[in-house]
Amino acid sequence: MLHLISASPVPSAVLERIDSGSSVVFLENAVLWILRDGRLYDRLAGMLADHPLYALSADLLMRGIEADRIVEGIEVIDYPGLVELTVAHPLIQSWN
């Protein structure tokens, strides 16, 4: 399953509902919660072992966030990369 998270702040309950192996894309203001010095750092770093995590480059850029400021291991993707993920995952859950 592909989870699209745009909610800000990112609720812990949302992260708890993500099954192992599911992919997660952080969009819009949710990218503010994936910073290395953020409150979710430990949680996200732990998730990387079982979940591919992504951030949309346009949303990082719009908020002035450089890729080296986000949790290491989160892959930055562009819109074509997002489309590829949506095609690869028949089930998509959007968290607003």
Side-chain angles (χ1 to χ4, degrees), residues 16-72:
E16 291 171 9
R17 292 182 181 196
I18 298 172
D19 295 329
S20 180
S22 292
S23 298
V24 181
V25 179
F26 294 92
L27 309 161
E28 300 174 6
N29 283 336
V31 299
L32 298 170
W33 292 86
I34 62 171
L35 297 173
R36 286 185 186 204
D37 59 354
R39 291 185 355 202
L40 293 179
Y41 174 82
D42 291 332
R43 186 74 176 268
L44 296 173
M47 287 180 70
L48 282 164
D50 297 324
H51 306 82
L53 303 180
Y54 304 92
L56 192 61
S57 59
D59 289 328
L60 290 171
L61 180 65
M62 185 178 299
R63 288 151 184 85
I65 301 172
E66 298 290 330
D68 63 351
R69 291 185 49 212
I70 66 173
V71 174
E72 187 175 350

